[in-house]
Amino acid sequence: MKSYLLPQFAVHRDDDRCIRCKVCVSQCSFGVHAYDDEDDEIRSNEGACVGCQRCATLCPTGALVIRRHPHEFRPNANWSEEMLLDVKRKAETGAVTITGMGNDKPHRVYWDHLLLNASQVTNPSIDPLREPMELRTFLGRKPDGLLFKDGRLITDIPPQVMIETPIIFSAMSYGAISYQAQLAFMQAAQELGTLCNTGEGGWPMDFRRFGRNVIVQCASGRFGVDPDYLNQAAIVEIKIGQGAKPGIGGHLPGEKVTAAVAATRMIPEGTDALSPAPQHDIYSIEDLSMLIYALKEATNYEKPISVKIAAVHNAAAIASGMVRAGADIIAIDGFRGGTGAAPRVIRDNVGIPIELALAAIDERLRREGIRNRASILVAGGFRNSADIIKAIALGADAVYIGTAALVAMGCTLCQQCNTGKCAWGITAQDPYIAKRLNPDIATRRLVNLVRAWTLEIKEMLGGMGINSIESLRGNRLHLRGIGLQEWELEVLGVKGAGQ
Amino acid sequence: MSAQVEVLEVLAAPGAGCVTLDARGRSYRELNRTLRSLATRRGVSRISVTNVLGQRYIGTNLRGEIEVRLYGTPGNDLGAFMDGPVIYVYGNAQDGVGNTMNSGKIVVYGNAGDIAAMSMRGGKIFVKGNVGSRSAIHMKECGEKKPLLVVGGTAHDFFGEYMAGGTAILLGLSLGPGEYHKANFIGTGMHGGEIFIRGRVDPSQLGAAVKISEPAGDDMRRIADAVGEFAELFGYDAGEIMHEEFLKLSPKSLRPFAELYHAGSRDSLQLG
């Protein structure tokens, strides 16, 4: 069947600048560029271009410009080009359309409608260059109260994991991302004194040395989960859901299940790695509690157990159940959270923004008097340090970053993660392509990003006259809304600007 | 954590390396802690636990070569994440027997509840009676590690759902003459491993992902090995069990859902 889909990107090559070095030919993993020996010319198959900008970035003479294809359909407010193409694609395949990364729809980003406070006259601001600023954060259940006897603390303190900055690398599995990319996350987390999350695809043996900086997941597929996996990590996270695809499972296609991926996931090579939609031992809060305590038994009550859900309509009530079920940490992933592969229709239509979910959950747990019993981690589209500090003011203990970390490594959000062809080597499983991501350089870029954001958070804290992130946590008086309706201010629990 | 939990009373030491505990009125946390501490005690190779009543997670985080005999009814998640021990249950077991088990052996002289052998990766589970729903769900295997579940009776719905590896055997010994196995949707979404069924099963009871065949190659030898061990444990005549025919279920495809999804990019369409 001839495809009626038009190319999405146009390739403009300035022939005067092009020196026929063929970097573009070797770098494009989607097969766009080809060198014609006879004519000494490089030709481009625009239809295959995904707009990842790898060729344009590496072209030594700047000869390439990749831009949105200028073709235009007759304007129609109901039938945008995207809608037309989606219908045509389904008419040609009869299949669910899979995509990568997070929701790209223009929903309101609430972070952009929240403004931070600063000290003026009545309390002094603090200069972070001269005075210590405390960002250190402890993740885990806090006791309901402290008891002392003869000046000595006698309350049992549940296990805590200390991080130096409230920024953690989000769950991305080996298989979804390359070995090199996961190594970069581990190295960066270690250097920064924070954590990274293995995702649900197991934990390569060579990376076990990073255990103190690693969160492992126990998800519906139970890939690579054995007693050593659980005990060598700092935190064990039960993955119920993911912001990009709430309510559905996942599957790593057989062609991405290489020998190394298979060994790590502890499954046979070449089979689909299916993660069922639910965990089949969890059909209720009581069942969740059973798995939480199974994991506590398996790790001798020495590690905090986290439970991660997607932000959905009743997230606050569910979160309350999770905490009562024994979760030491609850992780909430908003609908802008990324994915290695999800049906586009789910990614773009299911779930709610993390800003609203976080505010509702923090409020609910406080009202019920159980906020101390779990740390709150939030994920789902954090783009800068201001988003992060606003999340902390709304009640988060720390923030998971995924997409931003990938962007730091080179990602341009071309949304092809699921194809395994990532030209930047980040989500590629083909060893030839994956090798182009140098783990040490990627580590440097990740460390730089988190360092820069950490410094910016200190600047903003100092401006508010606060010298410890603990004092900002859940302190919504430092936030004001702008351009928001009454119901939105109410959910966020903040006043409008000027109020 | 608190070290205040007292070690359970060790009732008797009838023979070298054998100790007996009374679990009456004890929480699972207390019982399991005691089992762990006893298992590491020099010379202890077998622990008998009497009056077991609903304590969960027995065998979890119990490493090494230790034999545990449970008298009564252990609670959910018996042997969850277990790595090594051998557990005998003289009674019925509840839900989640061998959940995500890595190695070792669990023998149940009664029935087991739902999700027996769920996500099990290695070791063996023998159940004399029946198992509940979703048993053998998402069993998997890796290299030399191939888990085995043998059920003497029948199973309820979704037996072997999402199965990705290992061997599950239903012997149908609890079925009356001409009676069919109880489970529907057997092997739904199965994409690895194998199921052998003795006793009647109608094709309508099977999931769409499974292929039916007669055991071939060394299948019968492996069935005979498993049945031999089962018969010896529970006092059956292996020859009698093997006298009836077995049906083999295996996945039609290692990638059952591949054609339902499309990568979305234009270049992955067939152009032309």
Side-chain angles (χ1 to χ4, degrees), chain A residues 37-355:
Chain A
D37 234 349
E38 260 172 44
D39 298 345
D40 184 34
E41 200 173 284
I42 296 178
R43 306 223 169 87
S44 301
N45 168 21
E46 292 185 330
C49 180
V50 299
C52 77
Q53 306 291 349
R54 176 80 180 178
C55 58
T57 307
L58 294 195
C59 176
T61 58
L64 284 167
V65 178
I66 311 296
R67 60 169 88 125
R68 289 298 310 276
H69 202 287
H71 63 65
E72 283 181 4
F73 294 98
R74 178 183 288 274
N76 187 317
N78 295 321
W79 289 92
S80 63
E81 179 180 335
E82 186 188 333
M83 298 297 165
L84 293 180
L85 294 182
D86 193 48
V87 168
K88 288 177 193 297
R89 186 180 293 111
K90 288 188 169 60
E92 291 168 21
T93 64
V96 176
T97 307
I98 299 290
T99 187
M101 300 316 297
N103 190 330
D104 58 10
K105 295 291 164 288
H107 293 292
R108 169 165 283 177
V109 177
Y110 285 92
W111 304 128
D112 295 338
H113 294 266
L114 288 168
L115 301 169
L116 292 162
N117 197 22
S119 302
Q120 297 294 301
V121 183
T122 54
N123 56 338
S125 47
I126 300 169
D127 183 352
L129 298 178
R130 292 191 297 109
E131 297 185 43
M133 303 293 287
E134 186 68 65
L135 295 197
R136 193 172 270 182
T137 296
F138 292 86
L139 301 176
R141 171 170 298 232
K142 309 297 184 289
D144 291 341
L146 295 177
L147 287 176
F148 293 87
K149 193 176 174 187
D150 305 327
R152 208 170 54 85
L153 179 68
I154 55 167
T155 306
D156 274 340
I157 304 294
Q160 305 288 320
V161 170
M162 185 180 82
I163 49 177
E164 296 293 346
T165 183
I167 304 169
I168 305 176
F169 297 118
S170 205
M172 283 167 271
S173 69
Y174 172 42
I177 58 171
S178 65
Y179 179 90
Q180 287 82 351
Q182 197 172 65
L183 175 58
F185 281 124
M186 304 247 161
Q187 292 184 157
Q190 188 180 57
E191 189 173 334
L192 289 160
T194 185
L195 297 158
C196 66
N197 190 315
T198 60
E200 59 173 305
W203 187 10
M205 287 297 166
D206 338 357
F207 296 167
R208 299 286 168 109
R209 66 184 190 275
F210 299 105
R212 286 173 53 134
N213 300 95
V214 169
I215 301 172
V216 292
Q217 277 193 341
C218 176
S220 66
R222 302 286 157 89
F223 297 119
V225 178
D226 69 11
D228 291 335
Y229 172 88
L230 299 172
N231 279 291
Q232 289 167 3
I235 293 171
V236 179
E237 181 169 271
I238 298 170
K239 180 201 176 184
I240 301 292
Q242 185 176 340
K245 44 180 171 177
I248 69 165
H251 79 270
L252 189 68
E255 58 258 32
K256 279 185 103 173
V257 184
T258 61
V261 169
T264 304
R265 295 196 172 218
M266 302 181 186
I267 54 170
E269 189 178 341
T271 56
D272 275 2
L274 296 179
S275 297
Q279 305 222 11
H280 281 284
D281 48 359
I282 304 177
Y283 286 5
S284 66
I285 289 289
E286 291 74 16
D287 287 351
L288 172 66
S289 184
M290 196 159 72
L291 183 60
I292 289 171
Y293 280 91
L295 291 168
K296 289 188 179 192
E297 283 281 324
T299 55
N300 205 25
Y301 297 85
E302 287 165 3
K303 296 173 195 302
I305 306 297
S306 168
V307 179
K308 178 181 176 182
I309 59 163
V312 291
H313 301 177
N314 292 320
I318 297 163
S320 167
M322 285 153 60
V323 175
R324 292 171 192 283
D328 303 301
I329 298 170
I330 58 175
I332 320 293
D333 193 7
F335 78 158
R336 279 184 226 103
T339 176
R344 188 198 296 265
V345 69
I346 301 257
R347 187 197 73 174
D348 292 351
N349 293 284
V350 182
I352 63 171
I354 189 59
E355 302 92 315

Side-chain angles (χ1 to χ4, degrees), chain B residues 70-246:
Chain B
L70 305 175
Y71 297 88
T73 307
N76 291 344
D77 271 352
L78 170 71
F81 306 108
M82 191 172 83
D83 205 12
V86 177
I87 296 182
Y88 294 92
V89 182
Y90 301 99
N92 295 319
Q94 303 295 303
D95 295 347
V97 174
N99 188 348
T100 324
M101 172 172 157
N102 205 43
S103 70
K105 186 158 102 172
I106 299 176
V107 179
V108 181
Y109 287 83
N111 300 314
D114 293 343
I115 57 169
M118 164 170 162
S119 282
M120 180 186 179
R121 184 185 307 110
K124 298 175 180 178
I125 297 177
F126 293 91
V127 179
K128 184 179 184 187
N130 304 315
V131 293
S133 299
R134 311 194 304 281
S135 293
I137 185 169
H138 218 173
M139 264 170 91
K140 41 180 78 72
E141 65 185 52
C142 176
E144 296 299 299
K145 271 193 152 60
K146 286 192 201 304
L148 172 69
L149 168 69
V150 185
V151 177
T154 187
H156 284 270
D157 291 355
F158 294 103
F159 186 74
E161 188 183 15
Y162 285 116
M163 195 164 164
T167 304
I169 302 177
L170 283 182
L171 295 177
L173 298 171
S174 62
L175 301 174
E179 196 183 346
Y180 284 81
H181 274 283
K182 300 291 182 199
N184 284 308
F185 314 108
I186 299 171
T188 301
M190 183 177 183
H191 55 290
E194 54 191 9
I195 299 173
F196 297 110
I197 299 182
R198 178 186 172 279
R200 302 187 75 177
V201 61
D202 188 84
S204 68
Q205 293 174 262
L206 308 179
V210 300
K211 183 173 73 185
I212 313 166
S213 62
E214 283 177 20
D218 72 342
D219 289 345
M220 284 318 291
R221 185 189 55 75
R222 285 180 302 116
I223 295 171
D225 284 352
V227 167
E229 193 169 350
F230 175 89
E232 200 180 313
L233 284 166
F234 301 122
Y236 285 99
D237 178 347
E240 215 168 279
I241 296 174
M242 292 302 293
H243 192 65
E244 268 191 50
E245 280 181 6
F246 282 80

